[in-house]
Amino acid sequence: MNIFTKWGFTRDGWRNNSRGEYWVLVQGALIVGLIILPVYRPTWLNLPSSEWLYFSWFIAALLAISALVLFVKGLLDLGQQLTPLPYPIEEGQLVQTGVYSLVRHPVYSGVILISLSWTIFQFSLSHLIATVIIFAFFDAKARREETWLSEKYPDYSDYRQRVKKLIPWLY
């Protein structure tokens, strides 16, 4: 069985975006864009001392570790239900345990946090703008995904009330 078929990709879906195929394309473009984006650091954004620089790197490292934990644990906790599409797989079940008990979209959270981590590490205004765009994109993608999840799983509404969307305990 082809992995793309297992994930729910179809020719028809690529034509009409029936399972959110275009979301996946834009997501890939945003991630590649963040990686190749040049660092823009205005002169007024320089840190006053090396202590501040090391402190910012420490914060960036903590965010990066948190991002990796959310991302990897999110993938592992989904197991056989993993798909890059926002549309849930046909034989799937709602996952509410593991990292999904802390945040509803930990994979998206991981990408957002690693973007923020890189922004802080580089002190890059261009990456800050890109991180805001990535956050807005994943918020919109999660909103679309949650519409489909609510249609498929009757208990999704209760889960939504208990667990934050993208940032554990905050949002």
CSV table of all heavy atoms in Angstrom, one decimal, residues 67-94:
chain,number,residue,atom,x,y,z
A,67,ALA,N,9.9,22.3,21.7
A,67,ALA,CA,9.3,22.1,20.4
A,67,ALA,C,9.6,20.7,19.9
A,67,ALA,O,8.6,20.1,19.4
A,67,ALA,CB,10.0,23.1,19.4
A,68,LEU,N,10.8,20.2,20.1
A,68,LEU,CA,11.1,18.9,19.7
A,68,LEU,C,10.3,17.8,20.4
A,68,LEU,O,9.8,16.8,19.8
A,68,LEU,CB,12.6,18.6,19.8
A,68,LEU,CG,13.5,19.3,18.8
A,68,LEU,CD1,14.9,19.1,19.1
A,68,LEU,CD2,13.1,18.9,17.4
A,69,VAL,N,10.1,18.0,21.7
A,69,VAL,CA,9.3,17.1,22.5
A,69,VAL,C,7.9,17.1,22.0
A,69,VAL,O,7.3,16.0,21.8
A,69,VAL,CB,9.4,17.4,24.0
A,69,VAL,CG1,8.3,16.7,24.8
A,69,VAL,CG2,10.8,17.1,24.6
A,70,LEU,N,7.3,18.3,21.9
A,70,LEU,CA,5.9,18.3,21.4
A,70,LEU,C,5.8,17.7,20.0
A,70,LEU,O,4.8,16.9,19.8
A,70,LEU,CB,5.4,19.8,21.3
A,70,LEU,CG,5.1,20.4,22.6
A,70,LEU,CD1,4.9,21.9,22.4
A,70,LEU,CD2,3.8,19.8,23.2
A,71,PHE,N,6.7,18.0,19.1
A,71,PHE,CA,6.6,17.5,17.7
A,71,PHE,C,6.7,16.0,17.7
A,71,PHE,O,5.9,15.3,17.1
A,71,PHE,CB,7.7,18.2,16.9
A,71,PHE,CG,7.6,17.9,15.4
A,71,PHE,CD1,6.8,18.6,14.6
A,71,PHE,CD2,8.4,16.8,14.9
A,71,PHE,CE1,6.7,18.3,13.2
A,71,PHE,CE2,8.3,16.5,13.6
A,71,PHE,CZ,7.5,17.2,12.7
A,72,VAL,N,7.8,15.5,18.3
A,72,VAL,CA,8.1,14.0,18.2
A,72,VAL,C,7.0,13.2,19.0
A,72,VAL,O,6.5,12.2,18.5
A,72,VAL,CB,9.5,13.7,18.7
A,72,VAL,CG1,9.7,12.2,18.8
A,72,VAL,CG2,10.5,14.3,17.8
A,73,LYS,N,6.7,13.7,20.2
A,73,LYS,CA,5.7,13.0,21.0
A,73,LYS,C,4.3,13.0,20.3
A,73,LYS,O,3.6,12.1,20.3
A,73,LYS,CB,5.6,13.6,22.4
A,73,LYS,CG,4.7,12.9,23.3
A,73,LYS,CD,5.4,11.6,23.8
A,73,LYS,CE,4.6,11.1,25.0
A,73,LYS,NZ,3.8,9.9,24.7
A,74,GLY,N,4.0,14.2,19.6
A,74,GLY,CA,2.8,14.3,18.9
A,74,GLY,C,2.7,13.3,17.8
A,74,GLY,O,1.7,12.6,17.6
A,75,LEU,N,3.8,13.1,17.0
A,75,LEU,CA,3.8,12.1,16.0
A,75,LEU,C,3.7,10.7,16.5
A,75,LEU,O,2.9,9.9,16.0
A,75,LEU,CB,5.2,12.2,15.2
A,75,LEU,CG,5.4,13.5,14.4
A,75,LEU,CD1,6.8,13.5,13.8
A,75,LEU,CD2,4.3,13.7,13.3
A,76,LEU,N,4.4,10.4,17.6
A,76,LEU,CA,4.4,9.1,18.2
A,76,LEU,C,3.0,8.7,18.8
A,76,LEU,O,2.5,7.6,18.6
A,76,LEU,CB,5.5,8.9,19.3
A,76,LEU,CG,6.9,8.9,18.8
A,76,LEU,CD1,7.9,8.9,20.0
A,76,LEU,CD2,7.2,7.8,17.9
A,77,ASP,N,2.4,9.7,19.5
A,77,ASP,CA,1.1,9.4,20.1
A,77,ASP,C,0.0,9.2,19.0
A,77,ASP,O,-1.0,8.5,19.3
A,77,ASP,CB,0.7,10.6,21.0
A,77,ASP,CG,1.5,10.6,22.3
A,77,ASP,OD1,2.3,9.6,22.6
A,77,ASP,OD2,1.4,11.5,23.1
A,78,LEU,N,0.2,9.8,17.8
A,78,LEU,CA,-0.8,9.6,16.8
A,78,LEU,C,-0.7,8.2,16.2
A,78,LEU,O,-1.7,7.6,15.8
A,78,LEU,CB,-0.7,10.6,15.7
A,78,LEU,CG,-1.4,11.9,15.8
A,78,LEU,CD1,-1.1,12.8,14.6
A,78,LEU,CD2,-2.9,11.7,16.0
A,79,GLY,N,0.5,7.6,16.2
A,79,GLY,CA,0.7,6.3,15.7
A,79,GLY,C,0.2,6.1,14.3
A,79,GLY,O,0.5,6.8,13.4
A,80,GLN,N,-0.7,5.1,14.1
A,80,GLN,CA,-1.2,4.7,12.8
A,80,GLN,C,-2.2,5.7,12.3
A,80,GLN,O,-2.6,5.6,11.1
A,80,GLN,CB,-1.9,3.3,12.9
A,80,GLN,CG,-1.0,2.2,13.2
A,80,GLN,CD,0.0,2.0,12.1
A,80,GLN,OE1,-0.3,2.0,11.0
A,80,GLN,NE2,1.3,1.8,12.5
A,81,GLN,N,-2.6,6.7,13.1
A,81,GLN,CA,-3.5,7.7,12.7
A,81,GLN,C,-2.8,8.9,12.1
A,81,GLN,O,-3.5,9.9,11.8
A,81,GLN,CB,-4.4,8.1,13.8
A,81,GLN,CG,-5.2,6.8,14.3
A,81,GLN,CD,-6.0,7.1,15.5
A,81,GLN,OE1,-7.2,7.2,15.4
A,81,GLN,NE2,-5.3,7.2,16.7
A,82,LEU,N,-1.5,8.9,12.0
A,82,LEU,CA,-0.7,10.0,11.5
A,82,LEU,C,-1.1,10.3,10.0
A,82,LEU,O,-1.1,9.4,9.2
A,82,LEU,CB,0.7,9.7,11.7
A,82,LEU,CG,1.7,10.8,11.1
A,82,LEU,CD1,1.5,12.1,11.9
A,82,LEU,CD2,3.1,10.3,11.2
A,83,THR,N,-1.3,11.5,9.7
A,83,THR,CA,-1.5,12.0,8.3
A,83,THR,C,-1.1,13.4,8.3
A,83,THR,O,-1.4,14.2,9.2
A,83,THR,CB,-2.9,11.8,7.8
A,83,THR,OG1,-3.0,12.3,6.5
A,83,THR,CG2,-3.9,12.4,8.7
A,84,PRO,N,-0.5,13.9,7.2
A,84,PRO,CA,-0.2,15.3,7.1
A,84,PRO,C,-1.4,16.1,6.7
A,84,PRO,O,-1.4,17.3,6.9
A,84,PRO,CB,0.9,15.4,6.0
A,84,PRO,CG,0.7,14.1,5.2
A,84,PRO,CD,0.2,13.1,6.1
A,85,LEU,N,-2.4,15.5,6.3
A,85,LEU,CA,-3.7,16.1,5.9
A,85,LEU,C,-4.5,16.6,7.2
A,85,LEU,O,-4.5,15.8,8.2
A,85,LEU,CB,-4.5,15.2,5.1
A,85,LEU,CG,-4.0,14.9,3.7
A,85,LEU,CD1,-4.9,13.8,3.1
A,85,LEU,CD2,-3.9,16.1,2.8
A,86,PRO,N,-5.1,17.7,7.1
A,86,PRO,CA,-6.0,18.1,8.3
A,86,PRO,C,-7.2,17.2,8.4
A,86,PRO,O,-7.9,17.2,9.4
A,86,PRO,CB,-6.3,19.5,8.0
A,86,PRO,CG,-6.0,19.8,6.5
A,86,PRO,CD,-5.0,18.7,6.1
A,87,TYR,N,-7.6,16.5,7.3
A,87,TYR,CA,-8.8,15.6,7.3
A,87,TYR,C,-8.4,14.3,8.0
A,87,TYR,O,-7.4,13.7,7.7
A,87,TYR,CB,-9.2,15.3,5.9
A,87,TYR,CG,-10.6,14.7,5.8
A,87,TYR,CD1,-11.7,15.5,5.8
A,87,TYR,CD2,-10.7,13.3,5.7
A,87,TYR,CE1,-13.0,14.9,5.7
A,87,TYR,CE2,-11.9,12.7,5.6
A,87,TYR,CZ,-13.1,13.5,5.6
A,87,TYR,OH,-14.3,13.0,5.5
A,88,PRO,N,-9.2,13.9,9.0
A,88,PRO,CA,-8.9,12.7,9.8
A,88,PRO,C,-9.0,11.4,8.9
A,88,PRO,O,-9.8,11.4,8.0
A,88,PRO,CB,-9.9,12.6,10.9
A,88,PRO,CG,-11.0,13.5,10.5
A,88,PRO,CD,-10.4,14.5,9.5
A,89,ILE,N,-8.1,10.4,9.1
A,89,ILE,CA,-8.2,9.2,8.3
A,89,ILE,C,-9.5,8.5,8.7
A,89,ILE,O,-10.0,8.6,9.7
A,89,ILE,CB,-6.9,8.3,8.5
A,89,ILE,CG1,-6.8,7.9,10.0
A,89,ILE,CG2,-5.7,9.0,8.1
A,89,ILE,CD1,-5.7,6.8,10.2
A,90,GLU,N,-9.9,7.7,7.7
A,90,GLU,CA,-11.2,7.0,7.8
A,90,GLU,C,-11.3,6.1,9.0
A,90,GLU,O,-12.3,6.2,9.7
A,90,GLU,CB,-11.5,6.2,6.5
A,90,GLU,CG,-11.6,7.0,5.3
A,90,GLU,CD,-12.7,8.1,5.3
A,90,GLU,OE1,-13.7,7.8,5.9
A,90,GLU,OE2,-12.4,9.2,4.8
A,91,GLU,N,-10.4,5.3,9.3
A,91,GLU,CA,-10.5,4.3,10.4
A,91,GLU,C,-9.9,4.8,11.7
A,91,GLU,O,-9.6,4.1,12.6
A,91,GLU,CB,-9.9,3.0,10.0
A,91,GLU,CG,-8.4,3.0,9.7
A,91,GLU,CD,-8.0,3.5,8.3
A,91,GLU,OE1,-8.9,3.7,7.4
A,91,GLU,OE2,-6.8,3.7,8.0
A,92,GLY,N,-9.7,6.1,11.8
A,92,GLY,CA,-9.0,6.7,12.9
A,92,GLY,C,-9.9,6.8,14.1
A,92,GLY,O,-11.1,6.7,14.1
A,93,GLN,N,-9.2,7.1,15.3
A,93,GLN,CA,-9.9,7.4,16.5
A,93,GLN,C,-9.4,8.6,17.1
A,93,GLN,O,-8.2,9.0,16.8
A,93,GLN,CB,-9.7,6.2,17.5
A,93,GLN,CG,-10.3,4.9,17.1
A,93,GLN,CD,-10.0,3.8,18.1
A,93,GLN,OE1,-9.3,4.0,19.1
A,93,GLN,NE2,-10.5,2.6,17.8
A,94,LEU,N,-10.1,9.3,17.9
A,94,LEU,CA,-9.7,10.6,18.5
A,94,LEU,C,-8.7,10.3,19.6
A,94,LEU,O,-8.9,9.5,20.5
A,94,LEU,CB,-10.9,11.3,19.1
A,94,LEU,CG,-10.6,12.6,19.8
A,94,LEU,CD1,-10.0,13.6,18.8
A,94,LEU,CD2,-11.9,13.2,20.4
